[in-house]
């Protein structure tokens, strides 16, 4: 039998279940220990067939307005 006196909390610190979707955070009695807040730093208007995102993964099917949210590593 393996015994230890430490725990790797990982994704649980963000309030997510370590075995999602099998269990929810309510099943584990978890609550987020932090939150993420940011601001919209730019607004852009897209026309059909214009792309955005890493690798241009999203392509607009119709005219739309999008907001760019500041979020990064620094």
């Amino acid at each position: 039998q393996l015994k230890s006196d430490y725990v790797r909390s990982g994704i649980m610190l963000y309030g997510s279940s370590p075995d999602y979707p099998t269990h929810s955070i309510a099943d584990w009695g978890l609550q987020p220990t932090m939150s993420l807040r940011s601001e919209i730093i730019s607004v852009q208007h897209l026309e059909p067939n214009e792309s955005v995102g890493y690798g241009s993964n999203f392509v607009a099917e119709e005219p739309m307005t999008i907001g760019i949210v500041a979020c990064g590593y620094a």
Side-chain angles (χ1 to χ4, degrees), residues 10-16 31-34:
I11 195 73
M12 293 185 293
L13 284 174
Y14 300 98
S16 183
Q31 294 181 347
T33 60
M34 58 191 293

Side-chain angles (χ1 to χ4, degrees), residues 39-57:
E39 298 177 3
I40 294 177
I41 60 171
S42 176
V43 174
Q44 296 181 4
H45 304 283
L46 299 179
E47 294 299 325
N49 298 315
E50 288 186 322
S51 61
V52 294
Y54 293 111
S56 298
N57 287 330

Side-chain angles (χ1 to χ4, degrees), residues 1 3-6 11-13 15-16 19 22 24-26 28 30 32 38 48 56 58 66:
Q1 180 178 1
K3 294 183 179 183
S4 66
D5 59 359
Y6 67 93
I11 195 73
M12 293 185 293
L13 284 174
S16 183
D19 62 349
T22 304
S24 71
I25 61 172
W28 289 97
L30 300 174
S38 189
S56 298
F58 178 82
I66 63 168

